[in-house]
Amino acid sequence: MFLRCTYILLGMKQHEVQQLAKLARLKLSDEECNQYQDDFKHILSYIDSISSVDISQHDDEHVTNNIVREDNQHDEPRQYQHDLLRAAPATEDSYIKVNKIL
Amino acid sequence: MHLFKNNITILQEGLRNGDYQALDYQQHMKAVVNEKDSDINAFIEVFDDTEYTESDSLLAGIPVGVKDNILIKGRQATASSHILDGYTASYDAFVIEQLRNHGAMFAGRLNMDELAMGSSTETSYYGPTKNPCDLSRVPGGSSGGPAAAVAAHMVPYALGSDTGGSIRQPAAFCGIVGLKPTYGAVSRRGLMAMASSLDVIGPLTHTVDDARVVFNAISGYDELDSTCVPLDVRKKYQKKNVNNKRVGVLRSLLDSEGVSNEVKKNFEASCERLKEQGYEIVDIDIPHIEHSLAVYYILQPAEASSNLARYDGIRYGLSEDVDTLIDTYVTTKTKGFGDEVKRRIMLGTHVLSSGYHDQYYYKARNLRREISHNIHKIFNDVDVIATPTTPEVAFPLEEKTSPLAMYLQDMFTVPYNLSGNPAISVPSGGNEQGLPFGMHFVAPRFCEEKLFTISRDFSRDIL
């Protein structure tokens, strides 16, 4: 049931949490890292309950298909440019400006 | 004078027979907001719009509140997150286009859990929304603003979104009607994506008939949303719209730990009420449905971690002035996202990362298919599934201190986001403290009419 799953405490080490943060492009303080480490311990224990479930493969009734359209849309040049560029924090002419990569 | 206690039909009559003008409704909306919203905090922004498209629709001239993750062209939209500070929508969502054509008046932007992550509207960058039934309690989430605004009669109806229960649970907590349509029935174009295979837009209203009117207005076909299902395909599923008045109750879920006794008692009373209306109540079992929440908290963070990658300080919203590109990403996201959002992004990153994706993501995806298959199959035996909407009534602000305690609020609602079935929460009385209960019905895909029928029958002697 929801709360009565076997409570195997799956922990993540501090450096693993920091690695996740790095992958997610986040910077965590040590205190935050500890808090998330604790949160993940409980959440992972809970979601790990699916590992014990034995399931057979089914033919999907609802098969997913890729939906595409013909490449024949002819918008006016720059029809949406102004509206889209307006949202960007930094622009120059008709470009979105970004910081140097290297 | 609570004009918006009236349903949409009565409000429209008021306009057509000249008792009121649309401007009167708009001013009434502002008056109620002025009176109540400093305590409730449902609205992020109230609009001054007085113009609307002339239309024969029942919705013409009537104010509607919009959850802050649905785009209205020219209006700010932040999903109650700091990371979208100052963002102005460059296009209308499909549902907004539809409502515009129906002559709706957009009342304003409604508060929500940040980026739709939460079940209490406590994670909003604009502060929590309070439950109009008891200001010390949460309205539910993530569509807490929409639910509170409707419950407090600030607007007659609102649009919300539901990924794991985010329309239905706040509707239950605030004592109103909340519909999650079938996945694919309402275009997601212009809804800020949280989990693309789970998100659905839907109405929050006072009455079942109002929910039906709004649903019919917003559920057209949109070729610009590839997950929106064409109308002729929907018709094939609607063969199951026949109502044989057989209701399946998920006994096993009801007996789970965490479901309060008063909720169970109210549910049993609700079943009795249905029997009096000629419905047959049968116990059903759906294999693996008890794993729905775990499956959801793998798939949803995974999808969200991908969808939220776009909020990086480059094309919109918050952008920190730093040296390099990578610094832009890190500093903007660290500053712009709240704790729960960060938690779910990292969780999603983890379940998708190499070494873990088989164990978590792919397993969850397979289990989702299994659960969905079992849910669809049960409709060969019953017309609708019934459960309580929530395991408890609206809880006090700041009570749920652990993420997991919050996640468990979705236990009854979440399976049908996985399977795509339509589901509705209708008011089912209240407890001694006046806190509402919600009754939850689920129907076969594209059979929203079945939900409206049983909900109408159920509400007959309550409302």
Side-chain angles (χ1 to χ4, degrees):
Chain A
M1 292 303 136
F2 280 97
L3 287 178
R4 280 189 276 131
C5 57
T6 321
Y7 228 58
I8 314 157
L9 287 184
L10 297 174
M12 263 199 252
K13 309 242 180 350
Q14 268 239 356
H15 72 91
E16 287 174 305
V17 178
Q18 286 291 9
Q19 174 60 14
L20 266 188
K22 194 170 160 200
L23 283 174
R25 301 289 183 250
L26 295 169
K27 189 168 169 171
L28 303 182
S29 67
D30 285 339
E31 195 189 317
E32 284 168 331
C33 190
N34 286 336
Q35 182 57 57
Y36 287 126
Q37 193 183 4
D38 196 52
D39 291 339
F40 290 142
K41 191 169 63 180
H42 294 99
I43 297 171
L44 289 178
S45 293
Y46 182 73
I47 64 179
D48 205 61
S49 60
I50 70 166
S51 62
S52 60
V53 182
D54 190 22
I55 51 174
S56 52
Q57 282 295 7
H58 266 289
D59 278 333
D60 256 335
E61 285 171 38
H62 186 60
V63 177
T64 45
N65 299 308
N66 280 330
I67 310 282
V68 295
R69 62 170 175 79
E70 290 300 315
D71 190 14
N72 60 8
Q73 194 84 10
H74 293 303
D75 292 329
E76 287 301 306
R78 291 186 264 284
Q79 181 176 353
Y80 303 106
Q81 189 187 76
H82 174 70
D83 284 336
L84 294 174
L85 279 180
R86 217 164 42 144
T91 56
E92 193 171 289
D93 298 329
S94 57
Y95 295 93
I96 293 178
K97 236 173 24 176
V98 302
N99 279 328
K100 60 189 178 208
I101 294 170
L102 299 171
Chain B
M1 180 179 61
H2 287 300
L3 265 182
F4 298 150
K5 270 190 181 164
N6 293 308
N7 64 41
I8 288 170
T9 308
I10 293 180
L11 289 170
Q12 185 58 233
E13 265 171 38
L15 290 173
R16 287 181 188 173
N17 61 26
D19 292 341
Y20 294 101
Q21 297 189 347
L23 188 59
D24 296 322
Y25 286 165
Q26 207 248 7
Q27 287 179 346
H28 176 77
M29 178 268 294
K30 284 177 139 175
V32 181
V33 169
N34 276 341
E35 181 198 334
K36 296 185 181 179
D37 209 33
S38 51
D39 289 328
I40 293 175
N41 197 33
F43 275 87
I44 298 170
E45 183 189 349
V46 177
F47 299 155
D48 271 321
D49 283 359
T50 51
E51 303 204 336
Y52 64 100
T53 315
E54 290 291 330
S55 156
D56 289 332
S57 166
L58 274 178
L59 300 174
I62 294 179
V64 52
V66 178
K67 189 177 181 182
D68 198 35
N69 59 357
I70 297 173
L71 301 187
I72 303 177
K73 183 170 179 167
R75 293 290 185 184
Q76 289 200 26
T78 66
S80 287
S81 177
H82 185 34
I83 205 148
L84 276 171
D85 245 10
Y87 171 67
T88 301
S90 40
Y91 63 100
D92 276 337
F94 175 83
V95 294
I96 298 297
E97 280 177 359
Q98 294 294 96
L99 288 182
R100 245 191 239 288
N101 290 339
H102 279 260
M105 287 242 286
F106 299 109
R109 300 156 52 205
L110 291 169
N111 201 18
M112 52 187 283
D113 274 304
E114 182 185 2
L115 290 158
M117 297 191 190
S119 306
S120 65
T121 314
E122 290 176 289
T123 65
S124 166
Y125 180 62
Y126 302 108
T129 297
K130 320 288 175 54
N131 191 320
C133 303
D134 178 338
L135 295 176
S136 71
R137 292 176 186 259
V138 303
S142 58
S143 308
V150 172
H153 307 292
M154 296 179 194
V155 284
Y157 74 104
L159 288 185
S161 69
D162 188 312
T163 305
S166 290
I167 287 174
R168 294 162 285 160
Q169 183 249 28
F173 276 9
C174 292
I176 60 170
V177 175
L179 170 72
K180 179 199 86 69
T182 310
Y183 179 87
V186 180
S187 169
R188 291 181 301 110
R189 170 164 58 101
L191 170 70
M192 293 187 202
M194 203 253 273
S196 306
S197 78
L198 299 162
D199 296 339
V200 189
I201 295 175
L204 292 100
T205 61
H206 278 291
T207 68
V208 175
D209 283 326
D210 282 359
R212 186 170 183 271
V213 167
V214 180
F215 170 71
N216 285 336
I218 62 175
S219 57
Y221 173 63
D222 181 17
E223 62 171 9
L224 293 184
D225 174 357
S226 64
T227 61
C228 192
V229 175
L231 300 178
D232 55 338
V233 176
R234 299 186 204 188
K235 281 202 162 50
K236 293 189 194 154
Y237 287 85
Q238 282 162 357
K239 287 189 210 140
K240 290 199 169 159
N241 250 338
V242 172
N243 187 12
N244 294 315
K245 293 192 143 185
R246 242 172 100 81
V247 178
V249 168
L250 277 167
R251 266 312 138 194
S252 60
L253 269 196
L254 208 54
D255 293 334
S256 298
E257 209 176 307
V259 184
S260 74
N261 284 331
E262 59 178 0
V263 162
K264 282 192 234 193
K265 216 171 127 186
N266 176 264
F267 180 73
E268 298 305 339
S270 296
C271 290
E272 286 306 309
R273 191 173 296 121
L274 283 171
K275 283 185 196 165
E276 284 161 24
Q277 297 280 341
Y279 284 82
E280 186 191 351
I281 310 289
V282 299
D283 286 352
I284 56 168
D285 186 40
I286 297 178
H288 303 310
I289 202 165
E290 70 277 12
H291 295 290
S292 299
L293 205 60
V295 166
Y296 176 80
Y297 277 104
I298 293 169
L299 296 178
Q300 182 259 77
E303 294 188 24
S305 72
S306 175
N307 277 326
L308 267 52
R310 70 194 65 183
Y311 303 118
D312 57 8
I314 303 297
R315 282 164 296 167
Y316 24 64
L318 186 74
S319 184
E320 290 296 289
D321 190 12
V322 285
D323 283 338
T324 67
L325 188 66
I326 193 94
D327 287 338
T328 308
Y329 295 157
V330 176
T331 317
T332 303
K333 283 170 188 276
T334 303
K335 191 169 174 197
F337 288 139
D339 284 346
E340 183 59 31
V341 173
K342 285 179 186 165
R343 191 161 21 243
R344 295 209 200 176
I345 289 176
M346 287 193 283
L347 190 55
T349 306
H350 179 67
V351 304
L352 286 171
S353 62
S354 89
Y356 292 104
H357 52 55
D358 284 347
Q359 171 188 353
Y360 291 118
Y361 181 74
Y362 290 118
K363 182 75 191 268
R365 213 174 61 173
N366 287 340
L367 190 44
R368 176 190 186 169
R369 282 196 200 124
E370 183 84 8
I371 294 170
S372 299
H373 174 89
N374 294 341
I375 290 172
H376 300 318
K377 209 166 132 196
I378 211 80
F379 288 113
N380 293 330
D381 296 334
V382 298
D383 292 295
V384 294
I385 299 170
T387 65
T389 310
T390 58
E392 52 180 313
V393 293
F395 46 87
L397 289 152
E398 295 178 31
E399 180 183 89
K400 305 294 176 200
T401 50
S402 87
L404 208 50
M406 191 67 81
Y407 299 166
L408 288 165
Q409 294 301 308
D410 293 335
M411 61 182 287
F412 291 119
T413 51
V414 110
Y416 316 103
N417 294 85
L418 296 180
S419 67
N421 290 77
I424 194 169
S425 179
V426 277
S428 171
N431 69 5
E432 278 161 11
Q433 298 152 290
L435 297 169
F437 296 108
M439 183 63 163
H440 185 245
F441 297 120
V442 187
R445 288 166 290 179
F446 302 106
C447 293
E448 280 82 357
E449 278 303 319
K450 276 190 124 154
L451 291 179
F452 298 134
T453 304
I454 190 172
S455 300
R456 227 180 267 126
D457 286 343
F458 177 74
S459 306
R460 227 180 274 285
D461 39 327
I462 302 185
L463 293 176

